[in-house]
Structure formats: structure tokens, C-alpha cells
């Protein structure tokens, strides 16, 4: 069952009922200011850091779900309602929500009044703009009263939810003209405030939550709105809000448009005040002036659309498969940009408090967006590398506002360093900018201890051979990619963090996954050495990689598939010998991607085992059989009920590794089958089961052992976005950036006749027409660039900024 449809021409998903199976959300903002908005107008916004600079309050996992947002209440002669249905939930005669690229438009109509609220964050602007159009669709005159509403967060979202002995006394606001200013803590050390404005004289206001709602009322029934009269309250302590009251007289057919701005301002210390206790509003007024007229809003929206069209134009496919088109051309790259901006920090599942920018997460996210905004990828790589320690290890995450590493999710995940090589290599291949390797980058943000980025990569690489276990495989440390395989944790204290507790010295437990990752990313390090003229380094690294390949086959292969790990006692994990957890997806994907066992046929065996043991109609589960009880030597993985999350859920992040691995061995039909099982657009028809948005990937779909098999969770912020983008655009459709050009190496279903890709690469545009006359999956029979035949599979960089025609014949 569906709850809307894709509008590909407008690059929108159109939701036709407010009662979606879960709030279906969108992200607003591009650089510093961000907001989340659901199809019923729930959500929140923040400046740069969801924890430290939260503008509006949001209560996660609330009842009813998704209660709290930026609302526009309509009072129409005693009747009152909200256009997004929530929070009032009055029946609507018409409802529609259009989530587009960086904006959301919600329309609701009741009793001859139609309200459209269009929300977006303009480019280079620290605020949300709301264009609200109220139309009288009836044939008689209407006097409508509009009440806006936002509830302020007292900046630090963590403190805001916990430190009530202080917080209930500190809230402060100011009012001037039609603008409500929120200035809590501005009197002391903060140099920032926020404001909520409307471009018209107001007929009243409220800034105190209790006066607006009534102490025992919810957002569904604010006493002020029910009465149709504002109380002109001025908040002092408790919970500051902002609500404008506007009276609109509308002739039949008439519409009026209002523009609201919810903005954030920082003032230099010496310019904080206008007078004692009166904040300096100059910057806010300048921001408000930018959107005094609806025409300015429209112009800014057009700029936003142009920005997105430009980003999406870097890789575009023409194909007969409309679902594939909407994933590759619109929604997958859009999600990649959102994960770039947010990492795992703010969603409806990530509270924006606990997890910042992940070291491994951000490096992997980069793979999906580097072609769109290479300049910002460069900055991101430097930021990430600056949190690395000088022995090559890394903080697992850093705080977006300060860019400093923190220990909240621990240190010592031994896969982390390798992802820096992968992210940096992707950047260099995309841009040809080798100069990034010479950048001076600190260790642990200490400018007195720094080295070139290349040196950081070297320490990343050697962190593996410097930390080997008894079988010569990499020590796992706290965990590898699978944060929940905690082999040194041995926790028996309830509530103790599996990620930060290490009760056993980690000198035995080894990871076959890290071995595969080492062999997978190692060659990029080798190539980078060669290009810097470091032949000896390159040869030494090559030997280490070759050695790891052999060790993996010797100690990391179980006969029909790759093992997962050795635990603290040196016992196998992910082996036929195990009672539970006999086979895991991660090493099958990563080792085959690395080319391990491909020649001997063991890779194919491993991927066949995946089909036999891990396949379901909703995707590939993480492992089988699931752990039926808690195992102290395995940690968090065995804490989940069977079929969920890392305990045999369908972890969508590593399904693309299987797609890429299948492409590696030439099985194009299979690669695409795995792709289309989890790609959200292909699951739209089962939205009632899937429950999460049909336009973006979720982190997990419940596995076959789960009670709710097929139900997704944790949408939006997941490495799933970037890896699926890599799998479909590079491994399946086969256009891969390489150091010297674009490598063409498709691996597609045999039945496909062909497709065309437009790829912008290092300033040139390549129109690549791929035909498949002999219906093969893989193999390039002929490649021409502007009519000239090319030997090999790499389109060289032309570098003239023009459009070039490439023809590829498979065979
Ligand atoms: C989750 C993982 C996550 C980890 C780190 C665990 O509870 O299952 O998916 O990566 O927490 O925060
Ligand atoms: C989510 C985390 O963000 C990611 O880093 C990790 O690899 C997966 N969970 C699997 O545990």
C-alpha cells in the first residue's frame, strides 16, 4: 500500500494523507543552519550543531508521535485546525505534503479555507523561511485568525532536557514590532539569539507557553487558539515560545501571503547590546529585510532549485526503469548530501545529542557526495584527519561545532583508520587534487603535533600491521564496522556502554573484516605512494597486502565462506563450528570486494553461501542463525532480540558490499537483484509494511527472525545512502572515478539493452552511451571517446571544460 507518489518532474515525493505509517520527514538547510520537518509539520531546527545550538525544542519518542514543530493554527469562527493535520488533528477536506529538495510544502483545507505553508532554508542564510498562503475558497467573506507557534529550546539540547532546577528560571524574550526575540543566556556568555518574525503588523502575540496553551493542555488544544484571542504574554523563565496573532479578512477567492522567518544571529561581543538589557537587533533586521516580500522568497527558492539541479547534474542516468531513475538522479544523491551534512547527529532516531560526526561514518559518507561538492569533501577530510592520534588510531566521533574528537562512543575501533585512506583516495580520484596530501594536519587537534595528510594515511595503513593478533589477522579493538561485535567488552553491568567499556585487554580478538578492508583500501595507499615517487614504501605496502590476503585465506576462510572473527579465547566467530552466528555478511562482501579468493573460486562460493544462508525477500540479513541469548564474549550484538539491528537484521549498509562483490565476479543479474530489494523506490508499494519513507534508505529492515520482518527503522542518517550510491553508479552502472580518468566497467543484468549516463568529471561533461547488443553482464568490447577508439577501460581526462561523447559497447 502507498501513501503518496513520486513526482519526478518536480523532484518531489507527494504525500496524500497525513497518517503515514510513521512521520515521513525532510531535511532543510545546506551549510550551517538545518531543520527537520515531517509531513505534519513536526520537527526542529538548529545552527550547525544539534546539541549545542538547538533553536527549537523537540521531545523525541513522544506521544502522540511527532508532537512539536513549527505550527500555524487557523481559527475560523470558533473552529480551529492546523494545515498539516497535526497537532490539532481536525479532519481536513484536502491534505497534501510535497517534500522536495531542501523544501517542504504542506497544504491543508477545511471549510473553505486553504492554507499552504512552504518551508525552506535559503542558501547562505541562518534561518528558516515560511511562506504561508491563506486562501478563501468559499463563496462568502471569511475572517480568519492565524496563530503561529514555535517553542524555544534553551540552546543546549541536552541541558534543556535535564537541568530544570536552573532552566525554569532563565528564559527571556524581547519584542519589537512583529518580531519575537529569544535571548535566554544572552545576558551572560552567549553571543547569539534567535528570532521569529512575520512581514506584517501583528494583532497580538504570546511568548509564554503556559499562557498560550494552558497548563494542562497539549499542542492540540491551545487555550489561546480555541478562544481566538492572544493573551499578549511576555515570558519570564519557564518555557519561552513565539506566537504571532494575525487577523485576515478574505473576500471569496482572495488569498493573502505572509512570510515568517525563524532566524539565528551571532553578534560580536562588543556589539551585543543596544542599551542595558536591550539586544542589538541590526543583524536580525537585515535578515528579515531579505524576505519582506513573497517575491523575494520565490527568487530564493529558485536559487535553491538551481543549486540542487547543479549538484544532481554531476551524475545522471537515462534509463527505461523509472524507479532506477528516481533513485540515481534524485533521492539517493539527495540523501548522500544530507548524511554528509548531518553524519549521525540529528534525525528522529538520532537525538542530535549523543552522536556527532563519526570517523568511519563521515569517511564513508564522502564516497557518496564527493562528486557533488569536492571542495567541501576536502575540508571534511582535513577535519576528520585532525582528530586522528599520532599512532594512527582515532576518536570514533567528533563534535560538529568544535570539530574536536570526543570519547562518548569510545576510541580504538580498529577499522576506523583505514576509512581515512578510502575517503581521501575517493577525493583524489574524483578531483585529481594530489595537493591535499601535502596539507599539514594536526593529530588530535594539537597544532604542535602535526604532519602531512599523506603521513596520516601512512599511520592509518600501518595501524593494521602494527596491531596484529595470534593468527596474523588484525586485532579488532573495541569493535570494527560492526559496533556491536564487542569482543573485549565482557560487560555484565546493566546499562554499561558496550562501546566504551573494555574489561579485557584487546590483544587476542581478531577481525577478518578488517583484514578484507585492509586488502580493499591498501592498493589506493600503494598507488598514492607511487605517485609521490615512494617506490620503496609502495613495494613494502604491497607485500603487506599480499601477506594479509594469504593470511585471510589461511585463517579467515571456513571452507564455504569467510569467517567473521576470532574472539578473546581465540575461538571462531562466523563458522560452521558455531552453534549460532555461523555466517556473517560483512566479510563476504568486503573480502570479495578486495579480490580475495576470486581466482580460486572461493569468492564465488562465499557469495553463493550468502544466497543460501542470508537471503530474504526484503534483503540480506547480517548473520545467521541469530543469537538467541546474551553472550558476554560477544557483547551488544547478542543483546538485540533476533532479527533486529546487528543481530540478524537486514543492515542496509552492507547489502551494497554484496552488490559490489557480485559485480566483482561478474554476476550482474544478482548484483541488481540485491540492489532492487532494498532500494526504497522499489519498496514503495509495501510502504505499510516498510513504514519508513519510500524515498530514502533506512539503516535497518527487520530480518527474517524478527516478529516484524520487512519493517524498516532509522531512516535517513546511515552509511547505506553512500554505499548504495557507490554500488549502483560505480559497480553496476560501471562509471568509476580513477586516478587518471573515468573507468568504465559495468556489470548489469543481461537483459538490459543499454542506458546513457551524463557524468561531470574534473570540469568536463561526458555523455556515456552504453549498449549491450550481445546481452552480457560484464566486459567492454569497444570504447570510443569523441569517435576515437580507446584501448583499455579508462576514459582519459580531456580537461577542456566541454561535453564529450563516449560510446561503450559491452560484449
Ligand atoms: C547500534 C549501532 C551503533 C552503535 C554506536 C548501537 O547501539 O546498534 O548500530 O553504531 O550503537 O552508537
Ligand atoms: C551505525 C554506525 O553509525 C556505523 O558506524 C556502524 O558501522 C553501524 N552502525 C554498524 O554497527
Amino acid at each position: 500500500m502507498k501513501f503518496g507518489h513520486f513526482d519526478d518532474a518536480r523532484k518531489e515525493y507527494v504525500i496524500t494523507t497525513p497518517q503515514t505509517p510513521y512521520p515521513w520527514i525532510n531535511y532543510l538547510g545546506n551549510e550551517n543552519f538545518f531543520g527537520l520537518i515531517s509531513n505534519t509539520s513536526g520537527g526542529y531546527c538548529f545552527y550547525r550543531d544539534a546539541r549545542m545550538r538547538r533553536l527549537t525544542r523537540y521531545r523525541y519518542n513522544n506521544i502522540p508521535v511527532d508532537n512539536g514543530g513549527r505550527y500555524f493554527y487557523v481559527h475560523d469562527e470558533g473552529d480551529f485546525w492546523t494545515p498539516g493535520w497535526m497537532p490539532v488533528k481536525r479532519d481536513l477536506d484536502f491534505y497534501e505534503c510535497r517534500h522536495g529538495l531542501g523544501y517542504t510544502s504542506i497544504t491543508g483545507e477545511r471549510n473553505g479555507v486553504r492554507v499552504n505553508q512552504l518551508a525552506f532554508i535559503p542558501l547562505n542564510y541562518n534561518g528558516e523561511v515560511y511562506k504561508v498562503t491563506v486562501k478563501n475558497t468559499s463563496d462568502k467573506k471569511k475572517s480568519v485568525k492565524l496563530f503561529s507557534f514555535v517553542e524555544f529550546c534553551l540552546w543546549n539540547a541536552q541541558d534543556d532536557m535535564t537541568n530544570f532546577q536552573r532552566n525554569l528560571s532563565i528564559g527571556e524574550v524581547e519584542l519589537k514590532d512583529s518580531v519575537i526575540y529569544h535571548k535566554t543566556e544572552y545576558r551572560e556568555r552567549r553571543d547569539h539569539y534567535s528570532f521569529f518574525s512575520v512581514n506584517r503588523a501583528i494583532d497580538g502575540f504570546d511568548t509564554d507557553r503556559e499562557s498560550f496553551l494552558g497548563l494542562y493542555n497539549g499542542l492540540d488544544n491551545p487555550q489561546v487558539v480555541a478562544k481566538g484571542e492572544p493573551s499578549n504574554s511576555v515570558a519570564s523563565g519557564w518555557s519561552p515560545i513565539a506566537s504571532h496573532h494575525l487577523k485576515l479578512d478574505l473576500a471569496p477567492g482572495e488569498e493573502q501571503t505572509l512570510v515568517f522567518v525563524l532566524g539565528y544571529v551571532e553578534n560580536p561581543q562588543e556589539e551585543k547590546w543596544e542599551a542595558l538589557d536591550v539586544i542589538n537587533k541590526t543583524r536580525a533586521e537585515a535578515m528579515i529585510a531579505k524576505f519582506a516580500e513573497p517575491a523575494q522568497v520565490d527568487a530564493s527558492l529558485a536559487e535553491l532549485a538551481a543549486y540542487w539541479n547543479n549538484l544532481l547534474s554531476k551524475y545522471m542516468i537515462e534509463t527505461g526503469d523509472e524507479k532506477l531513475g528516481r533513485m540515481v538522479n534524485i533521492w539517493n544523491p539527495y540523501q548522500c548530501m544530507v548524511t554528509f551534512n548531518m553524519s549521525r547527529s540529528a534525525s528522529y532516531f538520532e537525538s542530535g545529542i549523543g552522536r556527532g560526526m563519526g570517523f568511519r561514518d563521515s569517511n564513508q559518507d564522502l564516497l557518496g557526495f564527493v562528486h557533488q561538492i569536492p571542495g567541501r569533501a576536502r575540508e571534511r577530510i582535513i577535519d576528520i584527519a585532525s582528530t586522528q592520534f599520532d599512532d594512527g588510531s582515532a576518536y570514533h566521533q567528533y563534535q560538529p561545532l568544535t570539530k574536536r574528537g570526543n570519547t562518548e562512543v569510545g576510541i580504538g575501533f580498529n577499522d576506523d583508520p583505514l576509512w581515512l585512506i578510502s575517503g581521501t583516495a575517493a577525493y583524489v580520484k574524483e578531483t585529481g587534487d594530489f595537493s591535499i596530501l601535502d596539507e599539514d594536519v594536526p593529530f588530535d587537534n594539537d597544532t604542535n603535533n602535526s604532519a602531512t595528510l599523506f603521513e596520516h594515511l601512512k599511520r592509518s595503513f600501518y595501524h593494521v600491521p602494527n596491531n596484529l593478533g595470534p593468527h596474523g589477522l588484525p586485532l579488532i579493538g573495541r569493535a570494527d564496522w560492526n559496533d556491536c561485535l564487542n569482543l573485549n567488552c565482557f560487560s555484565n553491568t546493566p546499562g554499561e556502554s558496550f562501546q566504551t567499556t573494555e574489561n579485557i585487554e584487546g590483544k587476542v580478538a581478531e577481525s577478518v573484516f578488517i583484514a578484507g578492508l585492509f586488502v580493499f583500501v591498501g592498493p589506493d595507499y600503494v598507488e598514492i605512494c607511487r605517485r609521490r615517487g615512494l617506490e620503496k614504501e609502495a613495494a613494502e605496502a604491497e607485500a603487506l597486502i599480499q601477506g594479509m590476503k594469504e593470511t585471510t585465506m589461511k585463517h579467515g576462510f571456513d571452507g564455504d565462506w569467510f569467517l567473521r572473527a576470532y574472539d578473546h579465547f581465540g575461538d571462531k566467530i562466523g563458522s560452521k563450528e558455531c552453534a549460532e552466528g555461523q555466517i556473517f555478511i560483512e566479510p563476504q562482501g568486503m573480502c570479495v570486494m578486495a579480490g580475495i579468493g576470486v581466482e580460486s573460486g572461493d569468492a564465488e562460493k562465499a557469495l553463493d553461501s550468502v544466497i543460501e544462508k542470508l537471503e530474504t525477500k526484503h534483503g540480506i540479513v547480517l548473520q545467521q542463525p541469530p543469537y538467541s541469548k546474551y553472550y558476554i564474549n560477544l557483547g551488544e550484538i547478542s543483546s538485540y532480540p533476533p532479527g533486529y539491528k546487528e543481530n540478524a537484521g537486514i543492515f542496509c549498509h552492507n547489502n551494497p558490499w554484496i552488490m559490489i562483490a557480485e559485480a566483482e565476479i561478474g554476476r550482474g543479474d544478482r548484483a541488481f537483484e540485491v540492489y532492487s530489494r532494498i532500494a526504497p523506490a522499489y519498496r514503495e508499494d509495501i510502504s505499510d509494511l516498510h513504514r519508513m519513507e519510500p524515498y530514502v534508505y533506512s539503516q535497518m529492515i527487520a530480518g527474517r527472525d524478527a516478529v516484524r520482518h520487512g519493517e524498516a527503522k532509522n531512516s535517513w542518517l546511515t552509511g547505506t545512502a553512500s554505499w548504495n550510491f557507490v554500488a549502483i553508479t560505480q559497480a553496476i552502472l560501471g562509471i568509476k572515478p580513477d586516478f587518471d580518468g573515468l573507468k568504465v566497467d559495468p556489470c548489469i543484468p543481461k537483459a538490459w539493452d543499454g542506458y546513457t549516463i551524463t557524468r561531470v568529471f574534473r570540469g568536463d561533461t561526458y555523455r556515456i552511451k552504453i549498449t549491450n547488443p550481445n546481452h552480457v553482464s560484464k566486459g567492454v568490447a569497444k570504447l570510443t571517446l569523441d569517435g576515437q577508439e580507446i584501448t583499455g577501460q579508462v576514459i582519459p581526462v580531456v580537461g577542456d571544460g566541454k561535453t564529450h561523447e563516449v560510446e561503450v559497447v559491452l560484449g
Side-chain angles (χ1 to χ4, degrees):
M1 191 181 154
K2 301 205 294 182
F3 298 83
H5 57 268
F6 287 92
D7 182 340
D8 294 334
R10 294 171 56 155
K11 303 191 175 79
E12 292 174 339
Y13 192 81
V14 186
I15 301 167
T16 48
T17 164
Q19 295 186 64
T20 43
Y22 206 73
W24 283 1
I25 73 161
N26 194 13
Y27 280 83
L28 314 176
N30 304 288
E31 201 141 2
N32 287 316
F33 197 86
F34 299 101
L36 284 77
I37 182 165
S38 71
N39 60 311
T40 62
S41 200
Y44 56 97
C45 59
F46 55 93
Y47 172 73
R48 279 182 55 187
D49 190 312
R51 169 168 167 180
M52 289 155 83
R53 286 286 189 286
R54 187 81 68 99
L55 266 78
T56 58
R57 188 172 276 164
Y58 190 76
R59 296 169 187 83
Y60 291 89
N61 200 8
N62 202 356
I63 42 170
V65 73
D66 193 29
N67 194 15
R70 303 65 128 201
Y71 293 130
F72 298 94
Y73 293 90
V74 179
H75 177 110
D76 178 13
E77 290 167 21
D79 178 39
F80 69 94
W81 53 281
T82 28
W85 188 65
M86 282 284 278
V88 179
K89 295 203 288 188
R90 208 81 76 209
D91 287 343
L92 298 171
D93 303 329
F94 176 81
Y95 163 89
E96 184 183 85
C97 168
R98 289 178 170 263
H99 283 316
L101 305 184
Y103 66 89
T104 286
S105 167
I106 297 175
T107 307
E109 180 167 350
R110 183 174 158 92
N111 287 337
V113 178
R114 175 180 276 241
V115 179
N116 172 260
Q117 53 169 91
L118 188 140
F120 75 111
I121 294 172
L123 295 172
N124 307 311
Y125 192 78
N126 292 332
E128 292 185 336
V129 174
Y130 285 81
K131 185 171 98 167
V132 179
T133 305
V134 185
K135 181 171 183 170
N136 179 356
T137 56
S138 78
D139 50 13
K140 46 181 209 307
K141 199 173 157 291
K142 287 250 178 199
S143 293
V144 173
K145 295 168 172 175
L146 195 71
F147 295 85
S148 68
F149 173 83
V150 301
E151 181 181 7
F152 293 110
C153 175
L154 308 185
W155 301 115
N156 180 325
Q158 167 122 318
D159 191 78
D160 183 67
M161 289 191 305
T162 45
N163 192 9
F164 301 110
Q165 60 80 26
R166 168 178 164 84
N167 291 346
L168 298 181
S169 295
I170 61 172
E172 287 190 286
V173 295
E174 231 181 86
L175 258 112
K176 191 186 169 200
D177 305 327
S178 299
V179 191
I180 297 160
Y181 294 87
H182 174 229
K183 59 171 191 179
T184 301
E185 289 189 342
Y186 189 80
R187 65 167 55 250
E188 29 120 347
R189 290 151 298 175
R190 291 191 187 276
D191 59 2
H192 42 268
Y193 62 77
S194 67
F195 64 87
F196 195 30
S197 69
V198 57
N199 66 339
R200 233 194 66 169
I202 52 176
D203 301 298
F205 59 87
D206 270 285
T207 66
D208 173 56
R209 190 182 75 199
E210 193 176 319
S211 310
F212 180 77
L213 292 179
L215 182 58
Y216 291 102
N217 288 3
L219 294 171
D220 59 331
N221 187 26
Q223 63 185 16
V224 153
V225 178
K227 237 169 80 192
E229 288 295 330
S231 73
N232 298 338
S233 58
V234 178
S236 175
W238 300 107
S239 290
I241 62 156
S243 171
H244 307 94
H245 173 58
L246 296 134
K247 290 186 184 155
L248 310 175
D249 290 321
L250 298 163
E254 186 190 345
E255 65 174 36
Q256 290 184 24
T257 299
L258 303 157
V259 183
F260 295 82
V261 174
L262 176 58
Y264 171 86
V265 167
E266 270 175 15
N267 277 334
Q269 284 293 332
E270 60 286 3
E271 290 174 29
K272 275 179 73 168
W273 303 102
E274 204 173 289
L276 180 69
D277 211 26
V278 181
I279 62 177
N280 178 347
K281 305 179 180 66
T282 322
R283 286 180 173 80
E285 282 161 358
M287 279 179 75
I288 294 165
K290 285 197 168 158
F291 295 101
E293 297 298 330
Q296 292 167 298
V297 175
D298 297 339
S300 176
L301 272 165
E303 273 172 33
L304 186 66
Y307 169 83
W308 274 108
N309 286 339
N310 174 48
L311 291 183
L312 299 184
S313 70
K314 311 282 189 218
Y315 191 118
M316 280 188 321
I317 183 174
E318 288 158 50
T319 158
D321 180 342
E322 66 170 11
K323 293 178 179 147
L324 182 61
R326 60 178 66 121
M327 286 311 313
V328 171
N329 294 338
I330 306 171
W331 293 99
N332 195 177
Y334 182 58
Q335 187 179 3
C336 286
M337 279 297 291
V338 172
T339 54
F340 156 61
N341 286 324
M342 299 288 118
S343 191
R344 306 298 170 269
S345 80
S347 73
Y348 274 16
F349 314 95
E350 304 290 356
S351 62
I353 288 171
R355 295 173 70 193
M357 316 296 282
F359 193 96
R360 88 155 77 85
D361 292 334
S362 291
N363 273 305
Q364 291 174 81
D365 293 345
L366 214 133
L367 308 176
F369 75 81
V370 58
H371 68 295
Q372 300 190 64
I373 38 167
R376 290 178 68 196
R378 192 182 207 275
E379 183 189 340
R380 176 63 56 85
I381 291 168
I382 306 286
D383 288 348
I384 299 171
S386 307
T387 67
Q388 186 176 28
F389 295 105
D390 59 11
D391 69 353
S393 67
Y395 287 104
H396 202 42
Q397 65 169 24
Y398 68 96
Q399 204 59 36
L401 194 69
T402 61
K403 297 187 173 181
R404 304 243 156 192
N406 70 43
T407 53
E408 281 164 31
V409 195
I411 299 182
F413 294 75
N414 281 349
D415 64 318
D416 270 337
L418 290 174
W419 294 112
L420 182 64
I421 302 181
S422 149
T424 307
Y427 169 79
V428 175
K429 288 177 185 173
E430 181 65 37
T431 59
D433 170 20
F434 283 89
S435 77
I436 190 175
L437 297 161
D438 298 315
E439 289 287 337
D440 186 47
V441 182
F443 293 104
D444 192 8
N445 285 105
D446 175 2
T447 38
N448 296 318
N449 181 17
S450 67
T452 60
L453 181 63
F454 172 75
E455 179 64 28
H456 280 256
L457 300 193
K458 186 172 174 186
R459 304 220 186 159
S460 292
F461 182 84
Y462 280 95
H463 189 261
V464 173
N466 288 344
N467 292 280
L468 296 178
H471 298 91
L473 289 163
L475 290 171
I476 197 166
R478 288 211 194 274
D480 59 24
W481 173 88
N482 191 329
D483 281 333
C484 300
L485 193 60
N486 314 119
L487 304 182
N488 297 306
C489 182
F490 286 80
S491 173
N492 54 16
T493 307
E496 192 169 69
S497 160
F498 290 105
Q499 270 85 39
T500 56
T501 308
E502 191 174 11
N503 291 326
I504 300 275
E505 214 196 338
K507 293 279 181 261
V508 177
E510 298 165 296
S511 162
V512 176
F513 172 80
I514 300 180
L517 183 61
F518 181 75
V519 178
F520 179 65
V521 306
D524 283 334
Y525 171 71
V526 170
E527 190 57 31
I528 288 171
C529 290
R530 290 232 152 87
R531 288 175 189 243
R532 294 174 75 81
L534 303 171
E535 186 49 47
K536 203 173 134 264
E537 302 256 18
E540 185 182 307
E542 252 171 349
L544 286 164
I545 295 167
Q546 183 54 33
M548 189 64 78
K549 250 183 163 168
E550 286 157 19
T551 308
T552 305
M553 281 318 298
K554 189 156 169 229
H555 296 294
F557 198 72
D558 202 42
D560 289 309
W561 59 78
F562 292 93
L563 287 174
R564 180 63 180 83
Y566 287 93
D567 70 9
H568 167 71
F569 307 103
D571 293 334
K572 292 176 185 167
I573 295 176
S575 157
K576 288 181 185 126
E577 294 165 21
C578 304
E580 298 178 335
Q582 291 177 340
I583 170 170
F584 282 68
I585 188 173
E586 306 102 298
Q588 319 315 324
M590 193 48 76
C591 292
V592 179
M593 281 160 74
I596 305 175
V598 172
E599 276 157 35
S600 62
D602 291 318
E604 193 171 335
K605 256 198 227 168
L607 294 180
D608 285 342
S609 300
V610 168
I611 301 179
E612 192 195 318
K613 309 258 179 201
L614 302 178
E615 180 84 347
T616 82
K617 64 177 179 208
H618 296 295
I620 301 167
V621 298
L622 197 145
Q623 105 273 22
Q624 278 292 296
Y627 295 112
S628 59
K629 55 178 197 236
Y630 178 57
Y631 293 96
I632 193 168
N633 58 320
L634 301 179
E636 185 169 3
I637 189 168
S638 63
S639 75
Y640 285 110
Y644 292 106
K645 294 279 292 186
E646 282 86 346
N647 191 16
I650 296 157
F651 225 92
C652 299
H653 184 138
N654 46 38
N655 274 237
W657 295 343
I658 299 297
M659 301 166 205
I660 300 170
E662 289 286 2
E664 178 73 26
I665 64 163
R667 302 201 297 200
D669 283 282
R670 174 73 189 143
F672 191 73
E673 186 187 354
V674 179
Y675 174 78
S676 55
R677 278 207 187 161
I678 63 161
Y682 291 82
R683 295 175 61 80
E684 188 192 11
D685 287 337
I686 52 162
S687 288
D688 45 337
L689 172 65
H690 183 80
R691 295 191 69 195
M692 295 296 118
E693 297 90 336
Y695 41 92
V696 289
Y697 286 95
S698 296
Q699 183 202 59
M700 181 208 60
I701 299 172
R704 73 156 89 101
D705 308 287
V707 177
R708 309 177 70 136
H709 183 35
E711 181 185 73
K713 283 199 186 103
N714 301 13
S715 59
W716 281 99
L717 303 188
T718 158
T720 307
S722 59
W723 272 111
N724 275 279
F725 191 75
V726 170
I728 187 68
T729 61
Q730 299 187 19
I732 299 176
L733 300 171
I735 309 299
K736 301 180 193 170
D738 210 336
F739 291 106
D740 298 315
L742 278 178
K743 185 164 182 207
V744 182
D745 189 18
C747 185
I748 57 173
K750 293 194 188 67
W752 286 12
D753 293 320
Y755 49 95
T756 300
I757 284 170
T758 306
R759 176 66 155 92
V760 177
F761 185 66
R762 302 194 196 170
D764 298 338
T765 302
Y766 298 89
R767 294 250 324 145
I768 309 168
K769 190 161 181 271
I770 294 161
T771 50
N772 189 19
N774 298 319
H775 290 281
V776 298
S777 278
K778 203 178 168 100
V780 171
K782 194 175 172 195
L783 176 63
T784 62
L785 169 64
D786 294 327
Q788 301 282 93
E789 189 154 351
I790 287 179
T791 38
Q793 279 174 254
V794 179
I795 310 169
V797 182
V798 183
D800 61 2
K802 298 202 177 120
T803 299
H804 300 280
E805 302 296 328
V806 178
E807 300 214 355
V808 182
V809 182
L810 302 182

